[in-house]
Amino acid sequence: MHKSWNIIDADLGKLREAGQFKPIRNLLAPMGPVSKIEGVGEVVVLCSNDYLGLANHPEVVAASVEASKKWGAGTGSVRFICGTFDYHRALEEKIAALSATDASTTYVSCWCANEAAIATLMTIGADSVVAISDELNHASIIDAIRLGRQINKNAKSAIYKHSDMAGLEAALKEHAACKMKLVITDGVFSMEGDIAKLDVIHRLCEEHGAMLIVDDSHGVGVCGPTGRGVAEHYGLHGKIDCMTGTLGKALGGAAGGYVASHKNLIELMYQKSRPQIFSNGLPPGSAAASTKAIEILLRDTSRVAKLRENVNYMREGLKKLGFEAMSGPSAITPIILGPTAKAIAASKRLLELGVFVIGFGYPVVPEGAARLRVQISAAHERAHLDRALEAFKKL
Ligand SMILES: Cc1ncc(COP(=O)(O)O)c(C=O)c1O
């Protein structure tokens, strides 16, 4: 046995000792407002990103099955070699309509979409590009910027404190000489549940000639009067240079990610973005599921309204029980408990009480700010939420 295996074992051992080892649960029923966990039984699910409850919508499932029957399991190659399929085009037209952009293109995940947009732009920016990023941006944005700097050694980056608009402005001024300035933010910050100050960020980008990239993975389908996302919440729908997002949360809960923007940026993605040039396109089943999910959202926004009612009900219930539950337009409510071990113990106890909610600790969130992350869906009925609140009361 060579030494690599010992190093792996030692590393896993350190995680266990530090109480940071994440148990992976085995689910025996589909994801929904309730599901079934092996060794636990039925639980109310408060940790899914299926915000609109479309993952199991009969029309979404039927579209996925039909597409698999018609087109087979997958693309068999990357798109620039074997071509784009009709179902890719149908999905990308829907994403562009939802995002109010000229065009869009898709990837097998939003991780890939962020890597594609950010690293490609940083690469073509030659020696005059800077990527400016909120410190709490998603890991895929952080890694995409790291990658961009590795590929283009002349590219610069700057990180501002979370939602610190003076910090963003200072970074824009410091890098005023850069021809290409990219400002990148999450729409909804996934661990805090708060939303980006997009009104100010958008204004600063206009003033300083910067391109704004918003990853609205947790905002699309959730925020704004008709669920178009955080940009719609601020009256900026269709005014953001480049949107990225996932198809694995509100938009069907399957898998996939997208970049939505002007035609030339999308053309650049086809020509140069490595996660598309060197990786297969979305399989038909996933693409068709998301196409249908977006179609449902475009024609009927009642799920967005129900989601908001559910979120408010849950937050008010938690507050009455003495928990500090933040208000805001997102579907994420973090409950800060402090030490990592406390958050993990609380989530374990809640699971015993029939509620599936995850405790996040260091290194996912800063040390001392470990939390339970409560996520609500339009698929929850009052009875599910009351069951969950009863468990929190016992906790
Ligand atoms: C803000 C944000 N961006 C990107 C992703 C990655 O999405 P995907 O699962 O499609 O790779 C996530 C998923 O957690 C996310 O929260």
mmCIF file of all heavy atoms in Angstrom, residues 49 108-112 114 138 140-141 186-188 190 215-218 244-249 255-257 373, ligand 1:
data_model
loop_
_atom_site.group_PDB
_atom_site.id
_atom_site.type_symbol
_atom_site.label_atom_id
_atom_site.label_comp_id
_atom_site.label_asym_id
_atom_site.label_seq_id
_atom_site.Cartn_x
_atom_site.Cartn_y
_atom_site.Cartn_z
ATOM 1 N N ASN A 49 -33.381 22.524 -1.816
ATOM 2 C CA ASN A 49 -33.420 23.756 -2.617
ATOM 3 C C ASN A 49 -34.571 23.744 -3.622
ATOM 4 O O ASN A 49 -34.641 24.602 -4.493
ATOM 5 C CB ASN A 49 -32.122 23.904 -3.416
ATOM 6 C CG ASN A 49 -30.899 23.986 -2.538
ATOM 7 O OD1 ASN A 49 -30.883 24.735 -1.575
ATOM 8 N ND2 ASN A 49 -29.878 23.209 -2.860
ATOM 9 N N VAL A 108 -23.501 21.486 -17.350
ATOM 10 C CA VAL A 108 -24.042 20.409 -16.507
ATOM 11 C C VAL A 108 -24.232 20.844 -15.054
ATOM 12 O O VAL A 108 -24.856 20.132 -14.273
ATOM 13 C CB VAL A 108 -23.183 19.119 -16.557
ATOM 14 C CG1 VAL A 108 -23.309 18.459 -17.912
ATOM 15 C CG2 VAL A 108 -21.746 19.400 -16.193
ATOM 16 N N SER A 109 -23.723 22.004 -14.681
ATOM 17 C CA SER A 109 -23.967 22.533 -13.334
ATOM 18 C C SER A 109 -23.706 24.031 -13.343
ATOM 19 O O SER A 109 -23.057 24.557 -14.263
ATOM 20 C CB SER A 109 -23.040 21.869 -12.312
ATOM 21 O OG SER A 109 -21.712 22.293 -12.543
ATOM 22 N N CYS A 110 -24.170 24.709 -12.291
ATOM 23 C CA CYS A 110 -23.848 26.138 -12.180
ATOM 24 C C CYS A 110 -22.398 26.309 -11.762
ATOM 25 O O CYS A 110 -21.786 27.327 -12.028
ATOM 26 C CB CYS A 110 -24.803 26.830 -11.205
ATOM 27 S SG CYS A 110 -24.528 28.602 -11.138
ATOM 28 N N TRP A 111 -21.874 25.299 -11.084
ATOM 29 C CA TRP A 111 -20.425 25.346 -10.790
ATOM 30 C C TRP A 111 -19.671 25.559 -12.104
ATOM 31 O O TRP A 111 -18.817 26.437 -12.221
ATOM 32 C CB TRP A 111 -19.985 24.046 -10.101
ATOM 33 C CG TRP A 111 -18.561 24.133 -9.628
ATOM 34 C CD1 TRP A 111 -17.435 24.101 -10.391
ATOM 35 C CD2 TRP A 111 -18.128 24.342 -8.280
ATOM 36 N NE1 TRP A 111 -16.332 24.256 -9.609
ATOM 37 C CE2 TRP A 111 -16.711 24.407 -8.316
ATOM 38 C CE3 TRP A 111 -18.785 24.470 -7.055
ATOM 39 C CZ2 TRP A 111 -15.953 24.600 -7.159
ATOM 40 C CZ3 TRP A 111 -18.016 24.654 -5.914
ATOM 41 C CH2 TRP A 111 -16.612 24.723 -5.972
ATOM 42 N N CYS A 112 -20.011 24.745 -13.104
ATOM 43 C CA CYS A 112 -19.357 24.863 -14.422
ATOM 44 C C CYS A 112 -19.685 26.203 -15.080
ATOM 45 O O CYS A 112 -18.832 26.804 -15.735
ATOM 46 C CB CYS A 112 -19.811 23.722 -15.332
ATOM 47 S SG CYS A 112 -19.172 22.129 -14.830
ATOM 48 N N ASN A 114 -20.322 29.096 -13.681
ATOM 49 C CA ASN A 114 -19.529 30.178 -13.083
ATOM 50 C C ASN A 114 -18.078 30.099 -13.527
ATOM 51 O O ASN A 114 -17.457 31.110 -13.854
ATOM 52 C CB ASN A 114 -19.620 30.103 -11.551
ATOM 53 C CG ASN A 114 -20.914 30.705 -11.041
ATOM 54 O OD1 ASN A 114 -21.529 31.535 -11.720
ATOM 55 N ND2 ASN A 114 -21.346 30.301 -9.871
ATOM 56 N N HIS A 138 -20.351 32.352 -3.397
ATOM 57 C CA HIS A 138 -20.331 30.891 -3.426
ATOM 58 C C HIS A 138 -18.938 30.355 -3.814
ATOM 59 O O HIS A 138 -18.203 31.000 -4.575
ATOM 60 C CB HIS A 138 -21.372 30.384 -4.434
ATOM 61 C CG HIS A 138 -21.566 28.906 -4.400
ATOM 62 N ND1 HIS A 138 -21.013 28.068 -5.338
ATOM 63 C CD2 HIS A 138 -22.227 28.113 -3.522
ATOM 64 C CE1 HIS A 138 -21.350 26.815 -5.051
ATOM 65 N NE2 HIS A 138 -22.090 26.818 -3.963
ATOM 66 N N SER A 140 -18.016 28.262 -5.887
ATOM 67 C CA SER A 140 -17.752 28.132 -7.324
ATOM 68 C C SER A 140 -17.229 29.449 -7.914
ATOM 69 O O SER A 140 -16.442 29.441 -8.868
ATOM 70 C CB SER A 140 -19.013 27.676 -8.068
ATOM 71 O OG SER A 140 -20.087 28.552 -7.817
ATOM 72 N N ILE A 141 -17.659 30.568 -7.345
ATOM 73 C CA ILE A 141 -17.160 31.879 -7.814
ATOM 74 C C ILE A 141 -15.726 32.062 -7.324
ATOM 75 O O ILE A 141 -14.839 32.480 -8.082
ATOM 76 C CB ILE A 141 -18.077 33.011 -7.297
ATOM 77 C CG1 ILE A 141 -19.473 32.877 -7.916
ATOM 78 C CG2 ILE A 141 -17.470 34.386 -7.590
ATOM 79 C CD1 ILE A 141 -20.510 33.842 -7.367
ATOM 80 N N ASP A 186 -23.155 36.922 -5.526
ATOM 81 C CA ASP A 186 -24.337 36.075 -5.396
ATOM 82 C C ASP A 186 -25.556 36.999 -5.376
ATOM 83 O O ASP A 186 -25.461 38.122 -4.857
ATOM 84 C CB ASP A 186 -24.326 35.338 -4.044
ATOM 85 C CG ASP A 186 -23.432 34.097 -4.018
ATOM 86 O OD1 ASP A 186 -22.612 33.941 -4.929
ATOM 87 O OD2 ASP A 186 -23.569 33.306 -3.068
ATOM 88 N N GLY A 187 -26.701 36.538 -5.869
ATOM 89 C CA GLY A 187 -27.946 37.298 -5.707
ATOM 90 C C GLY A 187 -28.426 37.122 -4.269
ATOM 91 O O GLY A 187 -28.627 38.092 -3.530
ATOM 92 N N VAL A 188 -28.597 35.857 -3.873
ATOM 93 C CA VAL A 188 -28.911 35.503 -2.479
ATOM 94 C C VAL A 188 -27.687 34.778 -1.945
ATOM 95 O O VAL A 188 -27.177 33.856 -2.598
ATOM 96 C CB VAL A 188 -30.127 34.548 -2.401
ATOM 97 C CG1 VAL A 188 -30.337 34.058 -0.970
ATOM 98 C CG2 VAL A 188 -31.387 35.234 -2.930
ATOM 99 N N SER A 190 -25.895 32.148 0.100
ATOM 100 C CA SER A 190 -26.496 30.861 0.450
ATOM 101 C C SER A 190 -26.418 30.521 1.930
ATOM 102 O O SER A 190 -27.267 29.798 2.437
ATOM 103 C CB SER A 190 -25.869 29.749 -0.388
ATOM 104 O OG SER A 190 -24.473 29.782 -0.300
ATOM 105 N N ASP A 215 -24.797 35.724 -9.770
ATOM 106 C CA ASP A 215 -25.182 34.306 -9.671
ATOM 107 C C ASP A 215 -26.456 34.259 -8.829
ATOM 108 O O ASP A 215 -26.416 34.453 -7.613
ATOM 109 C CB ASP A 215 -24.047 33.522 -8.999
ATOM 110 C CG ASP A 215 -24.444 32.072 -8.688
ATOM 111 O OD1 ASP A 215 -25.628 31.716 -8.844
ATOM 112 O OD2 ASP A 215 -23.560 31.306 -8.269
ATOM 113 N N ASP A 216 -27.587 34.005 -9.496
ATOM 114 C CA ASP A 216 -28.876 34.066 -8.781
ATOM 115 C C ASP A 216 -29.421 32.663 -8.491
ATOM 116 O O ASP A 216 -30.644 32.449 -8.514
ATOM 117 C CB ASP A 216 -29.879 34.887 -9.606
ATOM 118 C CG ASP A 216 -30.857 35.628 -8.688
ATOM 119 O OD1 ASP A 216 -30.561 35.760 -7.483
ATOM 120 O OD2 ASP A 216 -31.912 36.064 -9.172
ATOM 121 N N SER A 217 -28.522 31.750 -8.195
ATOM 122 C CA SER A 217 -28.933 30.354 -7.969
ATOM 123 C C SER A 217 -30.028 30.209 -6.915
ATOM 124 O O SER A 217 -30.952 29.419 -7.067
ATOM 125 C CB SER A 217 -27.721 29.515 -7.554
ATOM 126 O OG SER A 217 -26.888 29.300 -8.661
ATOM 127 N N HIS A 218 -29.916 30.968 -5.810
ATOM 128 C CA HIS A 218 -30.932 30.858 -4.749
ATOM 129 C C HIS A 218 -32.018 31.917 -4.886
ATOM 130 O O HIS A 218 -32.958 31.932 -4.085
ATOM 131 C CB HIS A 218 -30.288 31.007 -3.368
ATOM 132 C CG HIS A 218 -29.510 29.813 -2.928
ATOM 133 N ND1 HIS A 218 -30.095 28.693 -2.378
ATOM 134 C CD2 HIS A 218 -28.175 29.555 -2.979
ATOM 135 C CE1 HIS A 218 -29.160 27.807 -2.077
ATOM 136 N NE2 HIS A 218 -27.990 28.294 -2.444
ATOM 137 N N THR A 244 -25.875 34.260 -13.943
ATOM 138 C CA THR A 244 -25.664 32.807 -13.935
ATOM 139 C C THR A 244 -26.647 32.221 -12.920
ATOM 140 O O THR A 244 -27.166 32.940 -12.066
ATOM 141 C CB THR A 244 -24.219 32.406 -13.556
ATOM 142 O OG1 THR A 244 -23.979 32.741 -12.188
ATOM 143 C CG2 THR A 244 -23.196 33.083 -14.439
ATOM 144 N N GLY A 245 -26.897 30.928 -13.040
ATOM 145 C CA GLY A 245 -27.830 30.313 -12.089
ATOM 146 C C GLY A 245 -27.827 28.807 -12.255
ATOM 147 O O GLY A 245 -27.271 28.265 -13.215
ATOM 148 N N THR A 246 -28.467 28.155 -11.304
ATOM 149 C CA THR A 246 -28.545 26.694 -11.350
ATOM 150 C C THR A 246 -29.937 26.243 -11.773
ATOM 151 O O THR A 246 -30.921 26.944 -11.536
ATOM 152 C CB THR A 246 -28.200 26.084 -9.970
ATOM 153 O OG1 THR A 246 -28.180 24.666 -10.095
ATOM 154 C CG2 THR A 246 -29.209 26.461 -8.890
ATOM 155 N N LEU A 247 -29.984 25.074 -12.377
ATOM 156 C CA LEU A 247 -31.273 24.434 -12.674
ATOM 157 C C LEU A 247 -31.580 23.396 -11.594
ATOM 158 O O LEU A 247 -32.579 22.696 -11.670
ATOM 159 C CB LEU A 247 -31.213 23.772 -14.061
ATOM 160 C CG LEU A 247 -30.857 24.733 -15.205
ATOM 161 C CD1 LEU A 247 -30.606 23.970 -16.499
ATOM 162 C CD2 LEU A 247 -31.948 25.768 -15.391
ATOM 163 N N GLY A 248 -30.722 23.312 -10.593
ATOM 164 C CA GLY A 248 -30.841 22.280 -9.560
ATOM 165 C C GLY A 248 -31.581 22.738 -8.312
ATOM 166 O O GLY A 248 -31.604 22.007 -7.320
ATOM 167 N N LYS A 249 -32.147 23.933 -8.335
ATOM 168 C CA LYS A 249 -32.868 24.396 -7.149
ATOM 169 C C LYS A 249 -34.326 24.677 -7.554
ATOM 170 O O LYS A 249 -35.075 23.736 -7.836
ATOM 171 C CB LYS A 249 -32.156 25.614 -6.536
ATOM 172 C CG LYS A 249 -30.688 25.309 -6.161
ATOM 173 C CD LYS A 249 -30.050 26.408 -5.350
ATOM 174 C CE LYS A 249 -28.534 26.342 -5.325
ATOM 175 N NZ LYS A 249 -27.944 25.150 -4.727
ATOM 176 N N ALA A 255 -30.605 19.119 -12.451
ATOM 177 C CA ALA A 255 -29.192 19.489 -12.502
ATOM 178 C C ALA A 255 -28.968 20.378 -13.704
ATOM 179 O O ALA A 255 -29.718 20.326 -14.678
ATOM 180 C CB ALA A 255 -28.318 18.238 -12.613
ATOM 181 N N GLY A 256 -27.924 21.166 -13.640
ATOM 182 C CA GLY A 256 -27.576 22.023 -14.756
ATOM 183 C C GLY A 256 -27.372 23.452 -14.290
ATOM 184 O O GLY A 256 -27.794 23.824 -13.188
ATOM 185 N N GLY A 257 -26.696 24.220 -15.132
ATOM 186 C CA GLY A 257 -26.472 25.632 -14.817
ATOM 187 C C GLY A 257 -26.468 26.431 -16.097
ATOM 188 O O GLY A 257 -26.397 25.860 -17.194
ATOM 189 N N ARG A 373 -29.514 25.763 8.897
ATOM 190 C CA ARG A 373 -30.048 26.516 7.751
ATOM 191 C C ARG A 373 -31.415 25.947 7.400
ATOM 192 O O ARG A 373 -31.513 24.832 6.906
ATOM 193 C CB ARG A 373 -29.101 26.431 6.559
ATOM 194 C CG ARG A 373 -29.609 27.265 5.380
ATOM 195 C CD ARG A 373 -28.629 27.338 4.252
ATOM 196 N NE ARG A 373 -28.563 26.099 3.499
ATOM 197 C CZ ARG A 373 -27.983 25.971 2.308
ATOM 198 N NH1 ARG A 373 -27.394 27.038 1.751
ATOM 199 N NH2 ARG A 373 -27.944 24.823 1.684
HETATM 200 C C1 LIG B 1 -24.859 30.558 -5.277
HETATM 201 C C2 LIG B 1 -24.592 29.214 -5.861
HETATM 202 N N1 LIG B 1 -23.947 29.124 -7.037
HETATM 203 C C3 LIG B 1 -23.680 27.944 -7.616
HETATM 204 C C4 LIG B 1 -24.072 26.758 -7.019
HETATM 205 C C5 LIG B 1 -23.732 25.451 -7.697
HETATM 206 O O1 LIG B 1 -24.860 24.973 -8.336
HETATM 207 P P1 LIG B 1 -24.823 23.551 -9.053
HETATM 208 O O2 LIG B 1 -25.323 22.565 -8.053
HETATM 209 O O3 LIG B 1 -25.715 23.697 -10.231
HETATM 210 O O4 LIG B 1 -23.411 23.307 -9.438
HETATM 211 C C6 LIG B 1 -24.758 26.787 -5.815
HETATM 212 C C7 LIG B 1 -25.166 25.520 -5.176
HETATM 213 O O5 LIG B 1 -25.134 25.314 -4.014
HETATM 214 C C8 LIG B 1 -25.021 28.037 -5.211
HETATM 215 O O6 LIG B 1 -25.652 28.107 -4.033
#
